[in-house]
DNA sequence: GTAAGAATAT
DNA sequence: AATATTCTTA
């Protein structure tokens, strides 16, 4: 008998669960089984030919942890009796046709020939880690669903990932859940603590970082220059470099997401961009940075007078590096009313061409100056009914004066020259408390559903709704609240910042799809394409999100780009 | 020698 | 995952 006992594993890890005893007279199946067992279980494997040998081995060897038995039918009764007193897991190894053998009744798991590696895995998980059984079942189910479920899962994961990464990239806090006031309190407390103690890149630091990048542009955004603008003595150049490295990775990831179908990479690393596609990164990035910065500044100023922001001066000293603000002739936002119509371009072709130009470099590192610099085409609001996504852009329109200023009144004004030379701009004023007060006021009124637009004319923001465009040349800074169903900047869509409900409903929708249409795979046309989800109604009261393939110029309510 | 970027370590 | 450190390169 000893000669039949084969210890096949030399480097196996001995465990308290003991060795595996394999009873099988079929040399062929043994040859394939033993290596699999050895590899997967990391246990010694003994092999005997028949039931009688096995029993004597079991009597002598104490540490048998598992018996895999292929015994003759005539022996099975005898063998079972002998095994009866032992508490050793028994796996019958049977041919498919004789699967109803007695042995199988005692067994918790049954191996059927021919045996695959998967069978071994499953068996080991059942026997060695039976608590993982449920998980295993799930996996098996998922495997059967193949592409459709995988697709959904990847997609869902992707959305989840983006929920944080996107918003943090843009310096926002993701609002994907609602919290009770107490939870909010705890959250705020912990965040505050974290930021004070451990976190180097606090929110306001990151905002300054983003602002610096907005100012410098992608190419000039080097750690040293960024730090100079940030003027933060608590930061080292290395730290900025590290953060920049991370930021660039994030940007690249987003870029890859957007690239998939509609962006064509060319050799010179520029991108062609379909003219009817809405450029996702708007000048509002810059605007947002400013506003964020301003509100932070306000908070700091009110809470502790010791913290001084030197950003203002640093920027002022770098007037020449500020982005150039070009402007359209008669652009205004008056017909971009609050009742849903969007800004249109009278010269559609020109605008579309420009859109393509704008999008040459789809990089959030440098959205602002591109948009602003190319935003010089004559626009008017005569054409209604067509969305061009322009509403999210910062629009500067013409005036005779050569300085940037705000009038504090019922509404605010910014007067800009037709071609703003940065060195002529009154940046000091722009960063003054007065300007801040105005901006801050605006942000308070509409929180995160607003964009800042600069409109020409002297209308008040209330007038934006219905008043005819004025004839004079002064410019006005006004708020353009998001309208339900309006085009929304891509960054908002991805992080669902603007509408926390959307994510919930999307999730519910996906769950629903998962459960009820498990057998219905995604349309083949969807797989491998970007998916666009459009709310059937402006507000998803039910779970009926319609799914559209590909983002088109007509479906722009909600673009959710999936990776795969 | 400095600065930046990539890669790696914590 | 975020940040720091080390290694390379210019």
């Amino acid at each position: 008998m000893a000669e039949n006992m084969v210890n096949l594993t030399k480097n196996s890890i001995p465990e308290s669960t003991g060795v595996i005893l394999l009873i099988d007279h079929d040399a062929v199946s043994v040859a394939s089984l033993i290596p699999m067992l050895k590899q997967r279980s990391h246990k010694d494997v003994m092999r005997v030919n028949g039931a009688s040998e096995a029993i004597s081995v079991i009597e002598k060897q104490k540490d048998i942890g598992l018996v895999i038995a292929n015994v003759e039918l005539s022996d099975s009764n005898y063998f079972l009796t002998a095994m009866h007193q032992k508490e050793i897991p028994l796996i019958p190894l049977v041919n498919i046709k004789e699967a109803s053998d007695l042995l199988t009744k005692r067994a918790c798991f049954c191996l059927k020939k021919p045996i695959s590696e998967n069978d071994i895995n499953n068996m080991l998980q059942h026997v060695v880690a039976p608590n993982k059984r449920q998980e295993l079942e799930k996996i098996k189910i998922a495997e059967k669903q193949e592409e459709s479920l995988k697709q959904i899962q990847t997609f869902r994961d992707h959305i989840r990932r983006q929920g944080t990464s996107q918003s943090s990239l843009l310096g926002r806090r993701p609002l994907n859940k609602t919290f009770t006031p107490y939870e909010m309190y705890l959250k705020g407390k912990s965040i505050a603590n974290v930021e004070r103690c451990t976190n180097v890149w606090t929110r306001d630091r990151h905002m300054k970082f983003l602002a610096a990048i907005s100012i410098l542009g992608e190419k000039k955004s080097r750690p040293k220059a960024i730090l100079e603008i940030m003027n933060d003595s608590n930061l080292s150049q290395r730290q900025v470099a590290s953060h920049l490295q991370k930021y660039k990775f994030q940007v690249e990831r987003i870029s890859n997401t957007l690239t998939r179908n509609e962006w064509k990479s060319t050799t010179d690393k520029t991108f062609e961009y379909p003219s009817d596609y809405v450029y996702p990164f708007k000048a509002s990035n810059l605007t947002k940075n400013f506003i964020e910065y301003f509100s932070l500044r306000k908070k700091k100023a009110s809470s502790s007078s010791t913290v001084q922001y030197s950003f203002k001066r640093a920027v002022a000293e770098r007037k020449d590096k500020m982005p150039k603000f070009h402007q359209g002739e008669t652009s205004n936002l008056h017909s971009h009313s609050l009742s849903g119509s969007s800004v249109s371009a009278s010269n559609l072709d020109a605008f579309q061409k420009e859109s393509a130009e704008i999008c040459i470099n789809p990089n959030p590192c440098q959205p602002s100056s591109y948009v602003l610099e190319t935003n010089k085409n004559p626009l008017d609001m005569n054409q209604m009914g067509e969305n061009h996504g322009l509403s999210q852009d910062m629009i500067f329109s013409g005036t005779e004066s050569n300085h940037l200023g705000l009038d504090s009144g019922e509404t605010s004004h910014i007067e800009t020259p037709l071609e703003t030379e940065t060195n002529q701009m009154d940046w000091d004023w722009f960063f003054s408390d007065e300007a801040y007060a105005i901006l801050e006021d605006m942000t308070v009124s509409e929180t995160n559903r607003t964009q800042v637009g600069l409109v020409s004319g002297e209308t008040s923001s209330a007038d934006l709704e219905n008043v005819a465009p004025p004839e004079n040349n002064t410019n006005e800074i006004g708020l353009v609240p998001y309208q339900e169903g309006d085009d929304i900047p891509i960054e908002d869509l991805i992080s669902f910042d603007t509408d926390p409900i959307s994510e919930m409903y999307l999730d519910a929708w996906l769950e629903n799809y998962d459960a009820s249409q498990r057998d219905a795979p995604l349309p083949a046309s969807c797989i491998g394409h970007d998916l666009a989800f459009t709310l059937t109604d402006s507000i998803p009261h039910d779970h009926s999100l319609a799914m559209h393939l590909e983002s088109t110029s007509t479906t722009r309510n909600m673009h959710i780009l999936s990776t795969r």
Side-chain angles (χ1 to χ4, degrees), chain A residues 42-206:
Chain A
H42 301 285
K43 291 187 175 71
D44 286 347
V45 178
M46 290 188 210
R47 182 242 168 160
V48 294
N49 271 322
S52 55
E53 286 176 28
I55 289 167
S56 54
V57 167
I58 289 168
E59 292 300 330
K60 290 181 182 174
Q61 188 106 6
K62 292 286 178 189
D63 63 338
I64 306 280
L66 175 67
V67 175
I68 300 173
N70 179 20
V71 296
E72 303 290 331
L73 273 176
S74 53
D75 286 339
S76 66
N77 236 333
Y78 156 65
F79 179 69
L80 269 179
T81 315
M83 287 289 292
H84 188 63
Q85 296 98 351
K86 313 285 175 185
E87 293 206 333
I88 303 172
L90 173 63
I91 308 288
L93 177 57
V94 296
N95 294 318
I96 291 178
K97 43 188 173 182
E98 48 191 85
S100 62
D101 186 28
L102 266 180
L103 281 173
T104 60
K105 289 174 183 165
R106 186 207 189 268
C108 59
F109 193 91
C110 192
L111 283 176
K112 292 175 187 173
K113 292 184 178 182
I115 295 166
S116 73
E117 210 153 327
N118 244 345
D119 295 333
I120 299 291
N121 284 341
N122 289 345
M123 182 268 290
L124 287 172
Q125 297 217 36
H126 273 77
V127 177
V128 178
N131 54 324
K132 288 189 177 174
R133 183 187 177 126
Q134 219 174 359
E135 191 183 334
L136 203 74
E137 300 286 327
K138 279 185 189 169
I139 292 170
K140 283 174 86 173
I141 289 171
E143 278 170 358
K144 285 182 183 174
Q145 299 307 317
E146 289 178 349
E147 289 304 312
S148 61
L149 280 188
K150 273 184 197 168
Q151 173 80 12
I152 289 172
Q153 194 54 50
T154 1
F155 178 56
R156 192 179 295 152
D157 291 347
H158 183 63
I159 294 296
R160 296 233 170 88
R161 275 202 309 276
Q162 286 185 325
T164 53
S165 64
Q166 293 280 7
S167 50
S168 65
L169 171 64
L170 296 162
R172 296 154 169 231
R173 210 171 310 181
L175 321 161
N176 39 17
K177 279 179 182 169
T178 53
F179 297 94
T180 68
Y182 181 64
E183 283 173 326
M184 285 297 273
Y185 165 74
L186 288 179
K187 216 168 185 276
K189 199 176 171 185
S190 72
I191 286 174
N193 282 338
V194 165
E195 291 194 352
R196 214 168 290 143
C197 307
T198 55
N199 191 15
V200 175
W201 286 100
T202 57
R203 196 169 155 69
D204 54 334
R205 270 222 181 90
H206 187 59

Side-chain angles (χ1 to χ4, degrees), chain A residues 431-448:
Chain A
F431 285 94
S432 71
D433 288 338
E434 189 187 351
Y436 155 67
I438 291 163
L439 282 169
E440 204 258 355
D441 193 44
M442 300 189 318
T443 55
V444 166
S445 59
E446 289 285 341
T447 57
N448 53 7

